[in-house]
Amino acid sequence: MSDNQEKTQRTVEGRVVSNKMDKTVTVLVERQVKHPLYGKYIRRSSKLHAHDADNSCKEGDVVRVTEVAPISKTKNWRVVEIVTRAAE
């Protein structure tokens, strides 16, 4: 890889389901996959731990996270922006 080329970072959107940790939020990311035999679309989800440096995310917020180098044992995502705030 040349010097001026940068590796593309994976970015996903998800909903914050927990903000009880300090500077960490749990983000639920949902995706749809097609069943191999029946063709029906099934909803699959995964929970990611993301770094929230200033503890600004609340439960229910929709956030955009990007992949980074590991910050801790389970945390290798970082909150880039809050797309929509949760209704109060």
Side-chain angles (χ1 to χ4, degrees), residues 26-87:
T26 304
V27 181
L28 182 79
V29 177
E30 288 186 333
R31 59 191 170 84
Q32 288 187 329
V33 293
K34 193 173 184 178
H35 190 280
L37 178 61
Y38 300 115
K40 180 178 180 178
Y41 282 94
I42 308 164
R43 194 163 36 218
R44 297 279 180 213
S45 63
S46 58
K47 285 184 180 178
L48 312 171
H49 287 149
H51 184 65
D52 179 22
D54 44 356
N55 286 322
S56 59
C57 294
K58 303 278 187 282
E59 284 188 30
D61 290 353
V62 176
V63 295
R64 185 170 290 126
V65 294
T66 186
E67 208 167 18
V68 293
I71 299 169
S72 69
K73 180 181 174 182
T74 58
K75 189 164 61 166
N76 55 357
W77 294 83
R78 180 174 45 84
V79 175
V80 177
E81 68 170 316
I82 299 171
V83 180
T84 55
R85 285 276 184 197

Side-chain angles (χ1 to χ4, degrees), residues 15-21 24-27 57-60:
R15 186 171 37 91
V16 176
V17 291
S18 172
N19 64 346
K20 291 173 175 57
M21 296 171 274
T24 305
V25 291
T26 304
V27 181
C57 294
K58 303 278 187 282
E59 284 188 30

